[in-house]
Amino acid sequence: MPNLISNAELNSPDQPTWQLCSETNLTLHFAKPITLQKQQLCWALADRIRKLLTVTEVVIGMNTLSVFTQPLTFIELNELKQHLTQLIKQTEGQSIQGKHIQIPVQYGGEYGPDLKPMAQALGLSVEEVVKLHSEAIYTVYFIGFQPGFPYLGGLSEKLYFPRRETPRTQVPAGSVGIGGEQTGVYPFSSPGGWQLLGRTQMPLFDLTQNPPTALSAGDTLQFTALDIHYS
């Protein structure tokens, strides 16, 4: 069933707001917490906004939406902002019936060097962290940061953990990590600041496939523990 965010919610102190970023960009921000319901509204709004004549591109983020337009005057941008605000009230959230995949993970050890210290900091055992992380069903909210990198909703609040104070200069491809309230997988080797729990050999981006990304917005996934390494 589609989800409709009520007028009471839209008129609350935590109502979504449009921020004027430039003469060609408005960005929609939903107040925390991040929820699937808000993301579904972002998906639906994006489809409707793309049809407006002045709009050149719409980029979906994590409970955010960036609208890029032809160069407009300040008055025209304000008129557009008012129109988009009304559009939110008239739009029902869009559910995407995506596919479901399982991602096998080697947890801990050289594959997940942050697993043991993170578990200790959370007051949990390594096995409890792996169980919480692998028993959840995650929804792909959007793809970003790297080609094929899934931003996921559904992480247990018990596993919320801040990013590293000093990011690594190189995170191996396939690394599975946690950053704040999110978990995800690095399709490519790159710098990164997420806490690394494990690693998968499953490719998330392959130019020989159509589409090249293994995941898309609306898909669901579950991590499966192949093994837990303690050193």
Side-chain angles (χ1 to χ4, degrees):
M1 293 292 291
N3 294 307
L4 184 64
I5 292 182
S6 67
N7 284 336
E9 290 175 286
L10 289 171
N11 294 324
S12 73
D14 296 328
Q15 66 178 339
T17 57
W18 288 98
Q19 179 181 0
L20 178 61
C21 298
S22 74
E23 68 275 14
T24 60
N25 175 227
L26 288 165
T27 299
L28 176 68
H29 298 277
F30 280 96
K32 288 189 174 183
I34 293 171
T35 67
L36 179 58
Q37 184 184 34
K38 294 171 185 175
Q39 195 69 23
Q40 289 172 336
L41 182 52
C42 286
W43 294 340
L45 281 168
D47 285 346
R48 296 190 67 178
I49 293 171
R50 288 188 181 104
K51 298 174 183 177
L52 300 178
L53 292 178
T54 57
V55 172
T56 59
E57 186 179 11
V58 180
V59 178
I60 298 172
M62 199 76 165
N63 278 197
T64 64
L65 201 65
S66 291
V67 179
F68 296 89
T69 71
Q70 301 168 6
L72 300 174
T73 65
F74 181 75
I75 292 175
E76 290 171 330
L77 275 170
N78 269 302
E79 290 174 347
L80 176 61
K81 183 169 70 171
Q82 292 172 12
H83 176 67
L84 295 178
T85 298
Q86 290 302 313
L87 202 60
I88 298 173
K89 299 177 182 180
Q90 302 163 6
T91 302
E92 294 182 342
Q94 172 185 321
S95 296
I96 299 177
Q97 299 302 316
K99 61 185 177 296
H100 177 78
I101 69 170
Q102 292 189 330
I103 296 181
V105 178
Q106 297 273 2
Y107 283 94
E110 65 176 300
Y111 305 104
D114 298 320
L115 173 59
K116 186 175 180 179
M118 193 182 97
Q120 292 174 339
L122 290 171
L124 300 170
S125 69
V126 166
E127 293 81 4
E128 286 173 325
V129 171
V130 172
K131 183 177 184 294
L132 286 167
H133 188 258
S134 60
E135 70 183 2
I137 304 295
Y138 301 96
T139 300
V140 179
Y141 280 19
F142 74 104
I143 301 294
F145 172 57
Q146 294 179 347
F149 187 104
Y151 281 81
L152 306 173
L155 180 67
S156 169
E157 292 184 9
K158 295 179 180 179
L159 295 181
Y160 288 1
F161 202 78
R163 292 166 173 79
R164 293 172 55 87
E165 291 185 7
T166 303
R168 290 181 170 90
T169 57
Q170 185 169 352
V171 173
S175 291
V176 178
I178 285 177
E181 302 174 12
Q182 300 171 43
T183 187
V185 186
Y186 288 79
F188 301 97
S189 176
S190 75
W194 287 27
Q195 308 286 345
L196 303 185
L197 304 186
R199 197 181 307 164
T200 182
Q201 297 300 317
M202 179 178 172
L204 295 188
F205 187 83
D206 185 350
L207 281 175
T208 67
Q209 301 298 312
N210 185 23
T213 54
L215 293 163
S216 302
D219 289 347
T220 58
L221 69 85
Q222 185 173 19
F223 297 106
T224 58
L226 293 178
D227 201 357
I228 301 176
H229 301 263
Y230 294 90
S231 60

